[in-house]
Amino acid sequence: MQREIIKEIILEDAERILKLYKRVILPSALVFAVFLLFFPHIFKSPTYPLLHFILSLFIFSLVLLSFLFAFFTQVRIKKKISELSFDEIQRMIVLSLLFELFSVCLGLWAFLSFSQGFSFFMAPTLLVAFLVSLPGYLSPSWIKSIALLSISFLVLIFLAGVFNFYPFPLPTSPLKHSFAAWAVFFLGLIIIFVVYNLMTNVWYREYIMRARLEGIKREIEKKLLKRTKKLQEMYEETQILRIRERARMAEAEKRTKELENARTALINILEDVEEARLKAEEERDKTLAIIQNFTDGLLVFDGEGKISLINPQVEIFFKVKKEEVVGKSILDLAQIPDFKPIVEVVGRELKKIFRKEAQIREDLILEVTNIPMMREGKKIGTLMILHDVTREKAIERMKSEFVSISAHQLRTPLSAIKWTLKMFLDGDLGELTEEQMEFLKRVYQSNERLINLINDLLNVTRIEEGRYLYKPVLADITSICQSVIDSYTEEIKKKNLRFKFKKPKELPKVRVDIEKISLAIQNLLENAIRYNKVGGEIEIVLREKEGKIEFLIKDTGIGIPKNQQDRVFTKFFRASNAMKMETEGSGLGLFITKNIVEAHGGKIWFESEEGKGTTFYFTLPIAQK
Amino acid sequence: MAKKILLVEDEEIMIDLLKRKLSKEGYEVFVARDGEEGLKKMKEMEPKPDLILLDIVMPKMGGFEVMEEMKKDEKLKEIPVIVISNSGQPVELDRAKKLGAKDWLIKTEFDPKEVLEKVKKQIG
């Protein structure tokens, strides 16, 4: 380390000297060199011995120093210092100093030579000697350096001898002359070594001291730098931490703000949820209140078919407690006797049904409605509604009984009258006069009308109860028509009516209540006969049309006034012209006919023109196979 | 030998009219004025009647009950029954059919002549 520092110091010194040399000394030396070469006579004058001496010395030294030192420092130290070892540099520096000394010696030699008389060859001789010595300074080897220096010295001596420019008076003896020369040479070497050691020690010590100081200085600087760097790093770290901290705080602030916002939003949501909850609770309470107080029984089955809710009415119906049935499936309920009829109606899969009756007990009939509860197309449960129809059924039964009884009670005397009159008219109760027969006939007819009226009223009652059709069966409409027509043959003949019955060879069957359809056709035929002119026409057509059976009956009767046509199918209605023609009539016939046709799934309509005739149409669906 | 007809009917006039009509045609007509009497006579009569003309609405025992009792009796269940009634409810007609009635005549729809025709068709 120290040696490195010394190297650097040397380099610094060399650079400083070089700078000085380049800027001041070299230009001066060049100037003097020019004078020396081209105006040597200036220096020749013994008149100015001191000036001569100084100038010669100076010039000489400077020229040589300039050349060599520049060369030396530039080439060797500056450029090659990194390749040289410390010892090499040390030696080179010493040599450069020695070289300086040598230069001084040479200068002295030159001066002294001048005093002896100028020799033109002195300068070139000295130059040659230096040139020869040059490799000595440049060589890294001590032996080589000394050898070259010795050679150059010898060369110098030789040339001095040749050209006679010794610095001191010489012995006359050639041997002494040589001995003196060698003595000077070895003296010179000794001086060189002494000076070298002295210089190295001094110089080295100085450099060591300087190096130490430099080293210490550099150490301190290094430590300082390190510390500074550390402090810088710490400072930077602190800055980074501060920045990070700031960033973290900013982040934390941001997060806090976000949390605040989220909190506010959450509070709002919670408030909304609370509001919704309260609303839902209110609705639920309302619903529960409705359910609890509903007069119909309500059972809610969950998606698995188990009871999740029943209302108090169900407990009353089946004489059970909620706890006994909630959680049970429909099949479990079948174990409870009163529930069995319900289970039979709905089945284990809780099928969808609408108002199906189930007799629970003697005193309880319930109408069952099963509604699947759907959410997003998926069944989530079933709602069963049980409506107590016991009273309605009882009333229905009573009504039915009343109607039956009334019909029976009304018919009983009428049938007695009918049968009696008929027996009279048939001669079973003795001979009657014509006049008696005539009266009895009229009475018989009146009785018949009364019977018909009662029948019509009975039918209307049944229609309004919705239990008109009894048991529809597969039937041939053609034969039903024919049967009705056959029963009116007499009437048709009496009025001399032309009658046509158009029917295809075969017609699809229909599913009808034969008695009721016969009645419907009978009512239409009766009207066609009753309100027809004598000698008029009646045509009945049966056909299949547009997938249905179509019946039409056309007459050439009185027709229906246009302004009364919209009331034709209403109860007790009789057109004014009909009443004028035939006072008898209940006005219920077409009402009953319309209800019969519609109860079979058909349609009825008519076309009529007053004074020309009427055509009634009705359709019936073809029986499905 | 004349065919025997048991007429079970509570209305006197109907009894008189029907008895007159049927007797005129050579039928031997027996009368019971309620269901109970009718059943008793059925059981007592030997040989059994060839036909029973049975009303539905009667005191003591109605026509349906008579038919139910007749069904239980081996000797009586084979006797043909024609119901003559003023009721015409389809449910009653069905019930009568199930109990074995051969026909149902609504009195207001039919007259004694037509009843006679039905009787002739049934027993000749």
Side-chain angles (χ1 to χ4, degrees):
Chain A
M1 174 66 185
Q2 210 170 51
R3 290 188 171 205
E4 289 302 315
I5 296 170
I6 292 168
K7 258 169 116 173
E8 286 170 25
I9 293 169
I10 293 166
L11 187 58
E12 278 173 30
D13 286 348
E15 283 198 18
R16 274 201 300 273
I17 294 166
L18 188 62
K19 267 186 197 165
L20 178 68
Y21 215 75
K22 273 186 187 172
R23 287 175 193 166
V24 175
I25 300 171
L26 187 59
S28 317
L30 283 170
V31 167
F32 282 111
V34 166
F35 272 101
L36 185 66
L37 281 169
F38 294 100
F39 308 102
H41 59 274
I42 296 172
F43 305 103
K44 194 176 172 184
S45 173
T47 315
Y48 307 99
L50 187 61
L51 179 67
H52 186 170
F53 173 75
I54 292 165
L55 283 173
S56 302
L57 189 66
F58 189 71
I59 292 162
F60 198 76
S61 300
L62 288 180
V63 169
L64 291 170
L65 271 172
S66 302
F67 177 78
L68 291 166
F69 212 96
F71 187 81
F72 183 71
T73 50
Q74 272 196 0
V75 173
R76 296 288 287 181
I77 295 178
K78 191 172 178 215
K79 287 189 180 176
K80 300 202 179 185
I81 193 164
S82 56
E83 294 171 12
L84 298 172
S85 68
F86 178 75
D87 291 329
E88 283 168 343
I89 293 171
Q90 188 181 2
R91 188 176 55 76
M92 285 165 71
I93 294 292
V94 168
L95 283 172
S96 70
L97 290 169
L98 284 175
F99 175 70
E100 210 173 308
L101 190 64
F102 192 54
S103 307
V104 168
C105 291
L106 287 175
L108 272 171
W109 186 303
F111 166 68
L112 291 170
S113 301
F114 283 149
S115 63
Q116 299 281 328
F118 178 71
S119 171
F120 181 77
F121 297 100
M122 182 187 68
T125 303
L126 292 169
L127 190 64
V128 167
F130 276 113
L131 284 170
V132 171
S133 72
L134 189 60
Y137 297 110
L138 299 176
S139 171
S141 165
W142 274 111
I143 294 167
K144 270 191 200 164
S145 299
I146 291 167
L148 287 165
L149 277 173
S150 307
I151 291 165
S152 66
F153 202 76
L154 283 169
V155 166
L156 177 64
I157 292 169
F158 173 72
L159 290 172
V162 168
F163 296 108
N164 202 30
F165 55 84
Y166 284 99
F168 47 80
L170 289 170
T172 50
S173 159
L175 187 66
K176 284 181 184 174
H177 192 173
S178 296
F179 180 73
W182 281 107
V184 168
F185 174 70
F186 280 112
L187 187 66
L189 277 176
I190 291 163
I191 292 167
I192 286 165
F193 275 114
V194 168
V195 167
Y196 172 75
N197 280 306
L198 203 67
M199 293 309 290
T200 49
N201 282 330
V202 169
W203 168 81
Y204 193 63
R205 259 192 234 122
E206 188 199 332
Y207 272 104
I208 296 290
M209 191 69 75
R210 281 176 70 188
R212 273 191 192 153
L213 286 169
E214 191 65 28
I216 290 164
K217 180 183 151 203
R218 286 186 186 183
E219 202 59 43
I220 292 166
E221 275 177 0
K222 204 176 170 184
K223 280 187 180 165
L224 200 65
L225 191 68
K226 209 175 171 183
R227 285 275 166 87
T228 310
K229 205 176 174 185
K230 216 173 181 178
L231 282 169
Q232 185 70 26
E233 277 172 8
M234 281 172 69
Y235 174 73
E236 279 171 6
E237 260 179 43
T238 314
Q239 285 299 101
I240 291 168
L241 283 169
R242 212 174 270 171
I243 291 166
R244 278 187 193 160
E245 194 57 39
R246 260 189 234 134
R248 252 185 244 134
M249 287 207 43
E251 185 69 30
E253 260 178 41
K254 191 179 164 192
R255 287 260 173 93
T256 308
K257 206 172 178 186
E258 279 174 5
L259 281 168
E260 275 291 326
N261 291 343
R263 183 174 157 272
T264 309
L266 197 63
I267 287 170
N268 288 340
I269 291 167
L270 284 170
E271 280 172 3
D272 289 343
V273 164
E274 183 63 21
E275 203 182 308
R277 187 187 68 83
L278 289 168
K279 253 188 186 161
E281 260 183 29
E282 202 184 307
E283 289 301 315
R284 186 204 64 191
D285 291 340
K286 269 189 207 166
T287 310
L288 271 172
I290 293 166
I291 290 169
Q292 296 290 48
N293 295 295
F294 215 56
T295 50
D296 285 350
L298 294 172
L299 293 100
V300 177
F301 292 82
D302 62 21
E304 289 168 25
K306 293 197 176 148
I307 295 180
S308 59
L309 178 86
I310 65 167
N311 71 341
Q313 194 59 44
V314 171
E315 291 177 322
I316 295 167
F317 281 155
F318 298 100
K319 295 176 181 148
V320 291
K321 285 284 168 207
K322 189 166 63 182
E323 297 77 30
E324 292 171 48
V325 293
V326 168
K328 287 210 165 104
S329 69
I330 191 74
L331 288 174
D332 295 332
L333 290 179
Q335 309 304 318
I336 304 170
D338 281 355
F339 267 106
K340 224 173 170 181
I342 303 285
V343 177
E344 282 167 11
V345 165
V346 302
R348 65 165 70 191
E349 65 278 1
L350 291 166
K351 59 184 180 217
K352 182 180 176 181
I353 54 170
F354 184 69
R355 290 191 181 172
K356 255 200 158 154
E357 283 171 20
Q359 178 106 35
I360 309 301
R361 292 184 294 274
E362 196 68 48
D363 62 341
L364 181 65
I365 302 171
L366 298 176
E367 204 173 64
V368 185
T369 302
N370 243 13
I371 304 164
M373 299 193 292
M374 309 297 281
R375 186 188 288 167
E376 290 169 359
K378 208 180 163 189
K379 185 178 173 182
I380 57 166
T382 309
L383 173 65
M384 186 185 286
I385 304 169
L386 303 170
H387 178 63
D388 188 351
V389 291
T390 316
R391 197 158 172 267
E392 281 104 320
K393 286 286 157 195
I395 291 167
E396 225 176 79
R397 210 168 35 244
M398 280 164 62
K399 234 172 117 181
S400 187
E401 281 171 16
F402 172 75
V403 167
S404 291
I405 292 166
S406 305
H408 182 268
Q409 295 302 100
L410 286 167
R411 279 174 174 160
T412 303
L414 290 174
S415 57
I417 295 165
K418 176 180 173 140
W419 283 24
T420 308
L421 289 170
K422 201 66 171 58
M423 283 193 68
F424 268 117
L425 290 169
D426 289 343
D428 292 320
L429 298 170
E431 290 287 324
L432 292 170
T433 64
E434 242 180 76
E435 198 183 3
Q436 285 169 333
M437 284 284 263
E438 196 53 42
F439 274 106
L440 285 173
K441 268 185 196 168
R442 287 180 203 168
V443 171
Y444 181 81
Q445 280 161 11
S446 295
N447 195 60
E448 286 297 291
R449 277 202 294 272
L450 196 53
I451 289 169
N452 288 335
L453 179 62
I454 288 163
N455 286 342
D456 286 346
L457 286 169
L458 199 60
N459 286 332
V460 165
T461 309
R462 289 206 196 118
I463 285 167
E464 285 173 343
E465 283 175 5
R467 50 182 191 92
Y468 198 43
L469 294 188
Y470 185 58
K471 252 192 213 171
V473 295
L474 218 56
D476 174 27
I477 191 69
T478 312
S479 54
I480 295 170
C481 280
Q482 190 62 63
S483 180
V484 172
I485 292 164
D486 291 344
S487 65
Y488 281 89
T489 318
E490 278 291 319
E491 323 271 322
I492 293 167
K493 234 187 216 173
K494 250 188 215 172
K495 264 189 133 169
N496 205 23
L497 297 166
R498 292 190 306 282
F499 184 83
K500 279 186 228 165
F501 181 25
K502 284 184 184 168
K503 56 197 185 281
K505 275 195 183 144
E506 215 176 307
L507 267 179
K509 288 211 169 21
V510 288
R511 195 169 287 278
V512 293
D513 180 329
I514 295 173
E515 189 197 332
K516 301 299 185 298
I517 279 294
S518 302
L519 182 58
I521 296 167
Q522 184 183 311
N523 285 340
L524 293 172
L525 182 55
E526 250 182 46
N527 286 348
I529 296 168
R530 192 191 289 183
Y531 301 111
N532 218 328
K533 307 175 243 230
V534 173
E537 200 175 293
I538 296 175
E539 188 185 6
I540 290 178
V541 178
L542 271 177
R543 60 189 172 201
E544 187 182 345
K545 193 179 176 187
E546 290 168 11
K548 293 181 181 136
I549 303 296
E550 189 183 79
F551 168 99
L552 77 86
I553 178 164
K554 188 176 177 180
D555 65 50
T556 52
I558 57 173
I560 305 164
K562 212 171 175 73
N563 62 346
Q564 293 173 28
Q565 285 182 6
D566 57 336
R567 293 163 61 196
V568 155
F569 293 112
T570 56
K571 254 191 302 187
F572 305 115
F573 171 77
R574 292 190 71 220
S576 50
N577 56 346
M579 283 187 74
K580 280 182 191 153
M581 185 175 182
E582 180 71 60
T583 52
E584 308 297 332
S586 62
L588 293 171
L590 287 175
F591 171 81
I592 292 166
T593 301
K594 180 174 184 277
N595 275 278
I596 291 170
V597 166
E598 286 175 357
H600 283 90
K603 268 176 73 176
I604 184 166
W605 70 99
F606 65 91
E607 289 159 2
S608 183
E609 198 181 328
E610 198 178 359
K612 287 219 170 121
T614 307
T615 308
F616 271 91
Y617 304 82
F618 74 78
T619 58
L620 290 172
I622 293 169
Q624 297 298 318
K625 285 175 186 170
Chain B
M1 201 164 148
K3 296 270 169 117
K4 288 186 183 146
I5 297 173
L6 175 60
L7 176 61
V8 186
E9 168 66 66
D10 61 328
E11 272 203 75
E12 282 301 326
I13 188 162
M14 303 305 277
I15 293 168
D16 289 342
L17 290 170
L18 266 173
K19 196 175 175 184
R20 201 185 186 107
K21 192 78 181 177
L22 292 167
S23 301
K24 208 176 170 183
E25 294 296 318
Y27 294 104
E28 195 178 349
V29 182
F30 299 87
V31 175
R33 282 172 175 76
D34 58 64
E36 211 175 81
E37 192 188 338
L39 205 59
K40 190 181 168 195
K41 278 201 171 161
M42 268 184 243
K43 285 176 182 173
E44 285 169 354
M45 276 172 75
E46 286 302 334
K48 299 288 175 215
D50 298 296
L51 178 70
I52 308 215
L53 291 172
L54 180 64
D55 192 9
I56 293 294
V57 180
M58 288 184 291
K60 291 184 187 173
M61 191 191 274
F64 288 122
E65 286 166 285
V66 169
M67 280 193 279
E68 274 161 16
E69 291 303 314
M70 281 174 71
K71 256 191 128 170
K72 292 174 194 173
D73 194 313
E74 284 297 321
K75 291 180 184 174
L76 301 179
K77 70 181 184 183
E78 297 303 325
I79 307 171
V81 174
I82 293 175
V83 173
I84 45 166
S85 175
N86 266 322
S87 304
Q89 301 273 37
V91 65
E92 290 171 319
L93 298 178
D94 247 3
R95 192 180 169 192
K97 223 177 183 175
K98 280 179 188 154
L99 289 167
K102 299 295 177 192
D103 214 334
W104 181 295
L105 304 173
I106 299 171
K107 289 175 195 170
T108 48
E109 307 290 315
F110 294 86
D111 56 39
K113 194 175 166 185
E114 283 162 333
V115 173
L116 181 64
E117 280 165 17
K118 293 278 182 185
V119 168
K120 276 183 180 170
K121 199 177 168 184
Q122 198 59 46
I123 56 172

